[in-house]
Amino acid sequence: MCLIAFNTNQHKKYKLIMIANRDEFYPRPTATAEFWDDHPNILAGRDLESLGTWMGISQSGRISALTNYRDPTLERRRKTSRGDIVADFLTGLDSAESYLNELKKTATDYNGYNVILGTSDQLYYYSNQIDEYYELESGTYGLSNHLLNTPWPKVTSVKSKLDTYINSHQEINPNDLFRILIDKTKADDELLPTTGVSQKLEKQLSPIFIQSENYGTRASTVLLIDYDNNVNFIERTFNNGELKRENTFTFKIK
């Protein structure tokens, strides 16, 4: 996952509104969101290369979503797959804080990442780049390939669009949220972050929705949880920027 925006406990109907884009190389094998055969209570897409995931929810209400931290100088081969972090939390039984305390002990086992995890009533943020976690207060947040709320143009834009929409709509239409996620506007050169890649690549990676020759947004997800714990999880998958399919799941947290 490369871009996540979410709001907690500020909408009249929904205690959690989360929207996200997963960006990946087009050839990387991936399964669309489904309840997993080996863990039937887990709803998530799946990376078929490492068998982890980037975002998911369990029927008991455990939630997790992860982004990579972009700094080529820190990348090392043969590190543990970061997708395991999300999968392990979703399939586990430890509280969020217990899981995070254990995760801190393995911070150097992974390349750089950020993770949001917990439940819709209590979410936490952790990055192995600062090796600290904290509980999130009510509000709107944005996360890409740096730390939480780092003001990259795409993060600032998606946060602003989500916040404006939430504050002006008592009813949430998922199609409107997907329209936020499909924005292909590239950032102005002077606003591009410096992350260790070329300016040309930085420009290609700057939109909310990425489309390039061999890399781009593969999936967009909308997650809504209301105050009665009803879940609406919708995933749209893309092939080279073109909509391929949509999966919708509704259930009540047990």
Side-chain angles (χ1 to χ4, degrees), residues 9-10 39 54 72 109 112 121-123 133 164 167-168 173 193 201 220 251:
N9 297 307
Q10 289 189 322
H39 294 282
W54 54 95
D109 291 353
D121 296 314
Q122 192 173 45
L123 283 173
Y133 70 83
T164 298
N167 289 330
S168 59
N173 185 335
L201 180 54
S220 296
F251 64 90

Side-chain angles (χ1 to χ4, degrees), residues 65-101:
L66 180 142
T67 69
N68 296 344
Y69 185 96
R70 188 161 74 241
D71 185 341
T73 66
L74 300 176
E75 292 288 309
R76 299 291 183 268
R77 292 185 178 183
R78 299 179 181 175
K79 290 282 188 175
T80 305
S81 172
R82 289 167 284 200
D84 290 349
I85 296 167
V86 175
D88 289 346
F89 177 72
L90 293 177
T91 59
L93 297 174
D94 289 346
S95 69
E97 286 195 85
S98 294
Y99 183 80
L100 288 166
N101 283 323

Side-chain angles (χ1 to χ4, degrees), residues 21-70:
N21 277 343
R22 184 217 181 195
D23 306 325
E24 186 53 84
F25 290 100
Y26 296 143
R28 185 162 181 140
T30 300
T32 58
E34 295 286 353
F35 285 100
W36 291 0
D37 290 339
D38 51 343
H39 294 282
N41 68 321
I42 304 302
L43 173 61
R46 207 161 199 180
D47 171 26
L48 297 179
E49 189 170 298
S50 300
L51 298 182
T53 187
W54 54 95
M55 176 180 178
I57 182 171
S58 73
Q59 289 184 316
S60 63
R62 295 168 77 86
I63 300 165
S64 187
L66 180 142
T67 69
N68 296 344
Y69 185 96
R70 188 161 74 241

Side-chain angles (χ1 to χ4, degrees), residues 133-173:
Y133 70 83
Y134 53 88
E135 185 177 352
L136 298 176
E137 298 178 353
S138 300
T140 301
Y141 297 87
L143 178 63
S144 185
N145 301 117
H146 203 266
L147 302 178
L148 186 67
N149 285 338
T150 296
W152 287 4
K154 67 195 302 181
V155 175
T156 301
S157 177
V158 76
K159 277 182 61 182
S160 175
K161 290 174 184 290
L162 180 61
D163 205 47
T164 298
Y165 182 79
I166 289 171
N167 289 330
S168 59
H169 290 77
Q170 292 188 1
E171 293 295 327
I172 300 297
N173 185 335

Side-chain angles (χ1 to χ4, degrees), residues 99-109 126 131:
Y99 183 80
L100 288 166
N101 283 323
E102 290 301 311
L103 195 59
K104 281 168 57 70
K105 298 175 184 178
T106 63
T108 59
D109 291 353
Y126 171 73
D131 200 26

